[in-house]
Amino acid sequence: MGDEKLLKEIGERICTRRRELRLTQENLAEEMDVSVQMISNLELGKKAIRPENLVKVCTALDVSADYILAGTHAKRDLSDVMRKFALLSLENQRLLEALMDSLLEKR
């Protein structure tokens, strides 16, 4: 995989997660103590992320470095999902399973 493609994918994951959390680029930049331009460049895949900023973005977006860099979830992330799933009522667990099945069929 080329560096350009990898940087774009990393940027897309950062942007997607930021939007999921309903943060603006300005909000994220402020939380990370960096410029808005840096966030924009990261999200567009124009610049590689420095290690210290990777730590900051993971903290600010509440995701693992595995997710930002490779698009995979760390075991900790999945165990959090399973813990939340176990707290649901049986009816809601079945609804969630049906939703997941439906989403997987669309792949």
Side-chain angles (χ1 to χ4, degrees), residues 93-105:
Q93 287 178 358
R94 288 186 179 141
L95 286 171
L96 187 54
E97 285 180 282
L99 175 62
M100 289 188 298
D101 289 341
S102 176
L103 291 171
L104 289 171
E105 287 173 9

Side-chain angles (χ1 to χ4, degrees), residues 42-61:
L42 284 177
E43 290 186 358
L44 293 172
K46 291 183 177 181
K47 301 268 183 180
I49 191 165
R50 296 171 56 188
E52 62 271 19
N53 289 330
L54 177 61
V55 171
K56 289 178 182 180
V57 80
C58 289
T59 300
L61 299 178

Side-chain angles (χ1 to χ4, degrees), residues 1-10 13 69-70:
M1 177 183 305
D3 287 348
E4 232 174 76
K5 183 178 179 192
L6 179 61
L7 291 178
K8 284 199 176 289
E9 289 175 357
I10 289 170
R13 285 188 286 273
L69 297 174

